[in-house]
């Protein structure tokens, strides 16, 4: 097979994989509807507007004992960055890990002779879906906050430099986070283990690492903290590069984990054993 025809065949496999994931997740009983939608869309909106409502109420109290500072654009979409991107990564990791176990493993091997194409299809599908959703949520939140809660969030503006940066960088951050999720699933190969490690990595390890010797220096290299900082969100970290460099660092680590995961999937396939067609039920005579 010539390099050109091989590339076309690989692209066709990736396209078929993207379509397969779309079909798999568009049902009302899919894990995207039952799990990812509540955790990645509804929850961050509830937290964001819930905190805003409380802050607005406190700001209108005639009290010298308690006060609320005005919010800035660079701190207005923290919960979108925190939940939506991570939930997208968890969904991508779950999809990859479940495709490597049980009957789905044989189906995946039969449909995708090149093992990396199915992983790439899942990164593309879940990455683009999460990127679009996060961009819409950023636009909705930054447009609604100053209108609904003008006292505290009156300075928040979607058209500000921070708002425009969020519209560009949060989808990029979300897309690469999904690639890391797919790669981690390829390395671990177990759905529950993958999700547990990813959650521990994001919400425990990267914050707790500061308590080890030279923890603040180590923390400045943590991928997810760099990714969040790279979106323009205010964080108390000091990476050895600029804000854009932090996002590039995060993307490079995600790409590296994806490559390692795809290589691990390829190694799990027994060499010399042809892919078999999934068994279909036969009519008995």
């Amino acid at each position: 097979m010539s390099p050109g025809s091989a590339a076309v065949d690989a692209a066709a496999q990736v396209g078929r994989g993207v379509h397969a994931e779309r079909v798999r997740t568009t049902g009302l009983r899919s894990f995207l509807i039952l799990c990812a939608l509540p955790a990645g869309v509804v929850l961050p909106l509830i937290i964001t507007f819930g905190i805003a409502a409380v802050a607005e109420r406190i700001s209108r109290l005639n009290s010298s004992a308690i006060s609320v500072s005005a919010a800035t654009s660079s701190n207005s979409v923290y919960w979108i960055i925190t939940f939506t991107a991570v939930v997208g990564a968890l969904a991508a990791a779950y999809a990859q890990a479940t495709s490597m176990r049980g009957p789905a493993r044989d189906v995946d091997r039969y449909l995708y002779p090149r093992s990396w194409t199915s992983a790439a299809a899942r990164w593309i599908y879940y990455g683009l879906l999460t990127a679009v959703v996060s961009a819409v949520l950023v636009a909705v939140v930054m447009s609604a906050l100053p209108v609904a809660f003008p006292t505290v969030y009156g300075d928040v503006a979607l058209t500000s430099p921070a708002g425009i940066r969020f519209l560009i960088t949060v989808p990029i951050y979300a897309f690469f986070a999904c690639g890391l999720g797919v790669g981690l699933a390829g390395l671990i190969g177990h759905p529950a283990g993958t999700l547990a490690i990813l959650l521990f990595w994001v919400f425990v390890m990267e914050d707790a690492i500061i308590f080890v010797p030279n923890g603040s220096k180590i923390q400045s290299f943590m991928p997810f903290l760099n990714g969040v900082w790279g979106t323009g969100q205010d964080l108390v970290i000091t990476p050895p590069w600029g804000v854009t460099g932090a996002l590039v660092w995060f993307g490079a680590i995600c790409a590296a984990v994806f490559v390692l995961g795809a290589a691990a999937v390829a190694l799990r396939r027994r060499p010399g054993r042809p892919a078999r067609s999934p068994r279909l039920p036969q009519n008995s005579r």
Side-chain angles (χ1 to χ4, degrees):
M1 183 180 292
S2 66
S5 59
V8 171
D9 184 60
Q13 289 183 33
V14 172
R16 184 167 63 239
V18 172
H19 177 71
E21 287 300 318
R22 183 184 64 80
V23 173
R24 177 189 182 190
T25 58
T26 50
L28 294 178
R29 299 174 64 182
S30 74
F31 67 91
L32 280 187
I33 301 298
L34 298 178
C35 300
L37 178 62
V41 178
V42 178
L43 182 60
L45 289 177
I46 291 176
I47 295 176
T48 299
F49 289 108
I51 292 175
V54 172
E56 186 78 5
R57 182 175 179 83
I58 292 175
S59 69
R60 295 180 180 180
L61 296 176
N62 294 323
S63 173
S64 59
I66 186 172
S67 61
V68 177
S69 300
T72 61
S73 295
S74 58
N75 277 317
S76 58
V77 294
Y78 173 77
W79 299 108
I80 306 299
I81 299 172
T82 301
F83 281 100
T84 305
V86 173
V87 169
L90 290 171
Y94 176 79
Q96 177 62 32
T98 53
S99 72
M100 299 161 55
R101 299 175 64 83
R105 176 178 56 189
D106 292 332
V107 174
D108 195 77
R109 179 170 177 169
Y110 175 74
L111 293 177
Y112 309 101
R114 295 175 176 84
S115 60
W116 64 269
T117 56
S118 63
R122 293 184 182 95
W123 182 4
I124 292 172
Y125 176 74
Y126 292 99
L128 290 179
L129 180 62
T130 308
V132 171
V133 170
S134 63
V136 171
L137 291 180
V138 167
V140 169
V141 167
M142 296 195 72
S143 298
L145 283 177
V147 176
F149 312 102
T151 304
V152 178
Y153 291 88
D155 293 335
V156 173
L158 181 62
T159 56
S160 65
I164 294 174
R165 182 175 182 86
F166 279 143
L167 279 176
I168 298 172
T169 57
V170 174
I172 294 174
Y173 170 70
F175 178 81
F176 278 99
C178 292
L180 186 145
V182 172
L184 191 63
L187 286 170
I188 299 171
H190 190 279
T194 301
L195 301 187
I197 290 175
L198 185 55
L199 286 170
F200 176 80
W201 182 353
V202 176
F203 293 114
V204 179
M205 187 191 74
E206 293 205 356
D207 290 325
I209 200 73
I210 196 172
F211 296 109
V212 305
N214 295 319
S216 59
K217 184 177 295 186
I218 298 174
Q219 193 178 52
S220 65
F221 290 89
M222 291 293 100
F224 279 95
L225 286 176
N226 270 270
V228 173
W229 195 59
T231 63
Q233 170 66 40
D234 292 337
L235 286 180
V236 186
I237 61 172
T238 54
W241 34 65
V243 178
T244 301
L247 192 60
V248 173
W249 170 255
F250 172 72
I253 291 180
C254 292
V257 173
F258 174 80
V259 170
L260 292 175
V265 172
L267 288 175
R268 286 192 184 95
R269 293 190 174 185
R270 297 179 183 178
R273 183 179 177 183
R276 67 174 184 264
S277 173
R279 295 181 178 178
L280 301 176
Q282 296 180 352
N283 296 327
S284 57
R285 295 182 180 180

